[in-house]
Amino acid sequence: MLALLVFLPIIAFAAILLGAPARSSAIAAAAINLLLGLAATVTPKAAWAFNLPVLEKPALHLSFAFTDGMSLVMVLLTVIVTLAAVLSGQSPAGKEKLYFGSSLLISAGALGAFAATDLFFFYAFHELALIPTFLMIGILGRGDRREIAWKITIYLGVGSIILLAGLVWLANLTGSYDIPTMIANKAMIPAEAQKGIAALLIIGFGTLVSLFPFHSWAAPAYASAPAPVAMLHAGVLKKFGLYGLLRLAIPLVPEGLQQWLTPLLVLLLGNILWVGLVTISQKRLDTLLGNSSVMHMGYIFLAIAALIAVPGNTLALPAAVILMFAHGVSIALLFGLADRIERNTGSLDLADLGGLAKSAPTLAFLFGIAAMASIGLPGLANFSGEVLVFLSAFKDYSPTAGLGPVQIACILSVWGVVISAVYMLRAYRRIFHGPAVKLTTSAPDITFADRAPALILIIALLAVGLYPNLLLNLLK
């Protein structure tokens, strides 16, 4: 069943190429995948395992499994955001195949990477997802789309090569590409090699996540990308790097990571504080959301740093995974609604907008929920994740020992909550309140059909926000 879930978007993509209606085929595949993802949460994980040997030497297996709840939560995030993305997307005339087919391929790549238990396919599926991302930005993007497409190609290409070097090094030392076997053989990784491997993995995965200072590709890419790509890449695919650190780096090279803990804390504070201040200065909603997405990665890195500092930290892993889920859903909702604002008004420049709530009250209400989720309002999923992150940083704090580097970074990172409230509330007030302007006076409200993708994402935010055990139980 898990193989079906991974390959269904690819099958739908092939059907679209052969002439099937693009939008309805994409929606049908995404809806079936959402049902499969929900079914996976209530059925035994072992029933979903799939294994197909494809090469004897070196042994490569096309194998998928929910080895733990983390894979399941990431798959659930992917299928939720995918359905919302294909429902909310509006393709340019004559580009339906590229538009919806690319969205399906990005989803398939993310699903394969999160479900793969073989290192080769873990890496290959992620690379599969990058190709349609580049095409969509380069062909259908806005602004300097070609330059931006080349920029992310160079950034993510270099990051992927550095990551590949670290993964190959790991596979050679453990003697296997099977991830569970690699973890079982982790004693074969010499302590002196761990520091070098950890550096490669932090830089490689960190570039894919937009860790400061490897982050400058992300905001312009999301601002230029068509809505489904921004929703899927910022919401789902960017979590691959964080997932990789949790899945591979922490279990395999824990001692090496500890040697890079202080630099990592400095870099994640760069995400939260420096990029946060950059976000405040943005004049367009799309670049503001892009920088906001980069900023919030710092909090997930903080949970990872807490886990590196104290390997037995029982709060850090759930904190990171819940915040990955919450951020993925909320940023997808924000990008989807920003696309709607642009379609209804013709602009995302904050200076051109104002008073939109008068003509589009439902759009204002939905965007308000997304904005509140982004800044961590209680009752929405981001609040649960951020609280767990802060608690995880102090999980083993001892007053007699004083504050450690993780606790100091945590205290400094709290300023990010204030910064995010400033830029998000300021943007909301600028767009929706005040006197109506020329572009917003007669702007249409969001239609009943267009509310569906937003409601799917809001239900997910409320469900996890009001009852975090929905995900915590999967992670046990």
Side-chain angles (χ1 to χ4, degrees), residues 196-277:
I197 296 173
L200 292 173
L201 297 185
I202 289 173
I203 296 173
F205 282 129
T207 303
L208 303 182
V209 182
S210 65
L211 175 66
F212 180 89
F214 315 111
H215 67 289
S216 63
W217 62 270
Y222 298 147
S224 176
V229 174
M231 294 170 73
L232 281 165
H233 200 287
V236 177
L237 198 58
K238 196 160 69 168
K239 308 301 183 294
F240 170 80
L242 300 160
Y243 176 83
L245 286 170
L246 292 167
R247 171 66 67 211
L248 293 170
I250 287 182
L252 288 170
V253 290
E255 297 173 22
L257 288 173
Q258 285 184 349
Q259 297 185 59
W260 295 107
L261 178 60
T262 300
L264 180 61
L265 290 169
V266 173
L267 298 186
L268 71 88
L269 285 174
N271 275 75
I272 295 172
L273 300 178
W274 174 254
V275 179
L277 294 173

Side-chain angles (χ1 to χ4, degrees), residues 1-347:
M1 292 294 284
L2 192 48
L4 173 63
L5 194 149
V6 172
F7 284 106
L8 185 58
I10 298 176
I11 295 170
F13 169 72
I16 290 171
L17 289 183
L18 293 174
R23 178 178 167 81
S24 54
S25 298
I27 291 174
I32 293 171
N33 258 7
L34 177 58
L35 294 176
L36 289 172
L38 293 174
T41 64
V42 295
T43 52
K45 294 186 180 73
W48 292 77
F50 172 84
N51 185 47
L52 177 67
V54 295
L55 191 63
E56 185 175 349
K57 198 177 245 187
L60 298 179
H61 292 234
L62 180 60
S63 54
F64 305 113
F66 293 130
T67 51
D68 53 32
M70 184 166 59
S71 294
L72 180 51
V73 172
M74 290 297 99
V75 166
L76 201 55
L77 168 66
T78 306
V79 295
I80 290 172
V81 173
T82 300
L83 180 57
V86 297
L87 279 173
S88 64
Q90 186 176 66
S91 67
K95 301 292 184 182
E96 290 82 3
K97 287 184 178 180
L98 172 66
Y99 193 84
F100 290 104
S102 296
S103 301
L104 290 172
L105 282 185
I106 295 172
S107 178
L111 289 168
F114 292 139
T117 60
D118 186 283
L119 191 66
F120 176 83
F121 290 100
F122 166 82
Y123 183 84
F125 270 102
H126 175 261
E127 297 303 301
L128 168 68
L130 293 182
I131 297 170
T133 302
F134 303 145
L135 290 176
M136 285 281 275
I137 292 175
I139 297 173
L140 301 180
R142 293 170 293 195
D144 299 327
R145 62 182 189 276
R146 291 191 175 87
E147 289 79 1
I148 293 170
W150 276 112
K151 184 175 184 179
I152 62 171
T153 301
I154 293 169
Y155 258 94
L156 299 187
V158 171
S160 294
I161 291 171
I162 294 171
L163 172 63
L164 182 62
L167 297 180
V168 170
W169 195 351
L170 274 175
N172 284 338
L173 290 175
T174 57
S176 176
Y177 287 90
D178 179 61
I179 294 174
T181 304
M182 292 172 69
I183 295 173
N185 295 342
K186 64 181 180 181
M188 299 167 67
I189 305 172
E192 58 270 20
Q194 286 204 18
K195 185 175 181 180
I197 296 173
L200 292 173
L201 297 185
I202 289 173
I203 296 173
F205 282 129
T207 303
L208 303 182
V209 182
S210 65
L211 175 66
F212 180 89
F214 315 111
H215 67 289
S216 63
W217 62 270
Y222 298 147
S224 176
V229 174
M231 294 170 73
L232 281 165
H233 200 287
V236 177
L237 198 58
K238 196 160 69 168
K239 308 301 183 294
F240 170 80
L242 300 160
Y243 176 83
L245 286 170
L246 292 167
R247 171 66 67 211
L248 293 170
I250 287 182
L252 288 170
V253 290
E255 297 173 22
L257 288 173
Q258 285 184 349
Q259 297 185 59
W260 295 107
L261 178 60
T262 300
L264 180 61
L265 290 169
V266 173
L267 298 186
L268 71 88
L269 285 174
N271 275 75
I272 295 172
L273 300 178
W274 174 254
V275 179
L277 294 173
V278 170
T279 308
I280 289 179
S281 68
Q282 298 305 305
K283 306 298 183 187
R284 285 179 55 89
L285 181 59
D286 48 7
T287 55
L288 183 148
L289 296 180
N291 280 287
S292 167
S293 175
V294 174
M295 174 199 175
H296 281 87
M297 293 303 98
Y299 289 108
I300 304 171
F301 272 110
L302 180 60
I304 292 173
L307 189 56
I308 293 171
V310 183
N313 190 327
T314 54
L315 280 179
L317 178 62
V321 176
I322 287 185
L323 191 52
M324 287 160 65
F325 179 90
H327 176 268
V329 174
S330 62
I331 197 66
L333 178 58
L334 284 166
F335 273 119
L337 292 174
D339 178 64
R340 175 56 57 182
I341 292 171
E342 186 176 33
R343 275 194 265 163
N344 289 8
T345 66
S347 177

Side-chain angles (χ1 to χ4, degrees), residues 418-469:
V418 179
I419 292 171
S420 63
V422 169
Y423 66 67
M424 194 56 76
L425 293 177
R426 188 195 64 155
Y428 184 79
R429 179 182 60 81
R430 189 65 188 252
I431 296 168
F432 292 102
H433 294 284
V437 296
K438 182 180 177 182
L439 293 179
T440 62
T441 302
S442 57
D445 199 359
I446 193 168
T447 65
F448 180 79
D450 290 333
R451 296 173 195 173
L455 290 176
I456 291 170
L457 299 173
I458 289 173
I459 289 170
L461 288 173
L462 285 170
V464 176
L466 296 173
Y467 191 62
N469 276 344

